[in-house]
Amino acid sequence: MRWKIVPLSAIALELLSWASLWSCESPAGMALTFGLAHAAAAGTAAWGALGPLSPQRRAASKPTGLFLFAAAFCLPFVGVPAVALCLMVPSQGPTGAPEHFRVIEEPAWPETGGPAEALDVLGNEPLAELRQSKSAERRLALLLSTRYLGGDSAVRLQGCALKDPSDEVRLLAYGFLEARERDLSARIQALTQSLERTQPELRGSLHLERAQYGWELVFLGFAQGELGTHVMHEARAHAQQAVRLLPERGAPCLLLARLLLHMGETEEASKALEEATRRGLAPEAVAPYAAEAAFRERRFNAVRTALASMGPLSGMRPRLERLEAFWR
């Protein structure tokens, strides 16, 4: 109630300043009286605009108060009455609390019985069906079945589901990807802390595992651009340490070769693959990457030799069979 009196007080002070123009005999006294009364009226009007606010908002609105004071003071006979009248106009607040959300029932998720049933649900072309199926329940079942897939296949399907028109499918896909990325980041952080506490000569396995998680973070698309480049350089450094600290194992050399191939360093990758073979790693594990390195170096006879060392591919995907037939 007391804030409603402030505009009236401002108008009264402004009227007093007007009266001083006729009541004072000397020009100096008239100017001084008018200036003080007019400034008091402008200050009262500006104070009335900020007074009803909370202390926090009042502190944040000081520039607004200064602007109102300057506008009222610099416009004699008009400024103060205008500000005071604006304060006297009643303002209507919100009639009711706005509805920020609505409560809906949680939808029932389709269940999958396990890996075997999940493979039946996925079928032969799950990515195409996820994009083209008109049934939201079918797309949701496909997405739930990706829990039993590993590596890039699951992430590719879940990434495609982020563009699904159904809210349930998009939210579930985002949850899967976020959980996967969070798990990888937590493991990398835990391994980094373990490396700091472990003696240097015993860090070989930790370096290898740290490089594997870094490579997986990039391979699955969670680290891209400059971040991906940084993660790759870190993974390469850890893989090189694992190669040095685990001289009898070929797995660190193979991982280092994969990292180098991804970074475009084909010659160094070929050397790492040769070292992996020398350390006794199975030719079937080295051959695909040796074929890729040879293809990049345009050594096509070496590509045929590497593919031949992989053995028969009759039990693998038809695309690999066609690839082997092409290079015969």
Side-chain angles (χ1 to χ4, degrees):
M1 181 66 182
R2 61 192 180 98
W3 295 112
K4 296 182 179 180
I5 305 176
V6 175
L8 298 177
S9 302
I11 293 178
L13 289 172
E14 184 68 6
L15 292 175
L16 180 62
S17 68
W18 295 353
S20 66
L21 296 176
W22 289 275
S23 61
C24 295
E25 297 180 356
S26 64
M30 179 180 63
L32 179 61
T33 305
F34 175 79
L36 292 176
H38 181 62
T44 303
W47 180 56
L50 302 182
L53 300 178
S54 63
Q56 293 81 3
R57 291 190 176 183
R58 192 183 308 162
S61 302
K62 285 183 178 180
T64 304
L66 293 176
F67 172 76
L68 291 175
F69 172 79
F73 183 78
C74 296
L75 295 174
F77 308 107
V78 178
V80 172
V83 174
L85 290 175
C86 290
L87 296 178
M88 295 174 66
V89 174
S91 60
Q92 294 183 352
T95 56
E99 184 180 0
H100 296 291
F101 58 89
R102 57 190 180 91
V103 179
I104 61 174
E105 295 183 0
E106 181 180 358
W109 302 103
E111 294 293 336
T112 54
E117 184 178 341
L119 293 176
D120 293 337
V121 172
L122 289 170
N124 295 326
E125 296 293 339
L127 185 60
E129 189 170 1
L130 186 62
R131 290 173 175 172
Q132 300 172 7
S133 177
K134 296 182 179 180
S135 172
E137 292 185 359
R138 172 59 180 167
R139 299 195 304 272
L140 193 59
L142 286 169
L143 183 59
L144 285 169
S145 300
T146 61
R147 292 177 295 176
Y148 302 102
L149 294 178
D152 183 50
S153 300
V155 173
R156 186 166 62 251
L157 288 169
Q158 292 162 3
C160 176
L162 291 176
K163 303 177 182 178
D164 195 273
S166 172
D167 292 340
E168 290 82 0
V169 176
R170 290 199 307 272
L171 289 174
L172 184 61
Y174 179 79
F176 280 156
L177 291 172
E178 185 183 24
R180 187 72 173 273
E181 182 180 5
R182 187 168 58 247
D183 178 64
L184 285 175
S185 300
R187 293 187 180 189
I188 289 175
Q189 185 177 4
L191 283 171
T192 302
Q193 295 174 355
S194 298
L195 281 169
E196 296 175 355
R197 298 191 300 264
T198 307
Q199 297 179 3
E201 62 274 9
L202 302 177
R203 294 177 180 175
S205 299
L206 295 177
H207 278 297
L208 177 60
E209 194 173 359
R210 173 64 177 81
Q212 288 173 339
Y213 286 135
W215 163 243
E216 188 174 355
L217 200 64
V218 175
F219 181 73
L220 296 179
F222 294 134
Q224 301 178 0
E226 294 184 359
L227 175 61
T229 303
H230 173 71
V231 173
M232 285 295 295
H233 282 290
E234 280 191 339
R236 174 183 177 176
H238 286 288
Q240 289 172 337
Q241 290 293 331
V243 170
R244 182 179 63 84
L245 295 173
L246 301 173
E248 303 298 328
R249 296 182 58 182
C253 300
L254 180 61
L255 179 59
L256 178 60
R258 296 182 67 182
L259 292 168
L260 292 170
L261 283 173
H262 185 82
M263 299 172 70
E265 301 182 20
T266 308
E267 184 177 353
E268 295 296 325
S270 298
K271 295 179 181 179
L273 291 171
E274 293 175 0
E275 179 64 19
T277 304
R278 190 189 66 79
R279 294 187 181 189
L281 201 63
E284 292 80 3
V286 180
Y289 307 103
E292 181 179 353
F295 178 78
R296 293 186 182 184
E297 295 175 345
R298 296 298 186 264
R299 296 185 290 109
F300 300 122
N301 289 331
V303 174
R304 296 185 180 92
T305 303
L307 290 177
S309 65
M310 295 175 64
L313 299 175
S314 57
M316 301 181 70
R317 294 190 299 272
R319 291 181 180 179
L320 292 181
E321 293 180 352
R322 292 196 296 268
L323 177 64
E324 185 190 43
F326 176 81
W327 283 99
R328 283 176 183 170

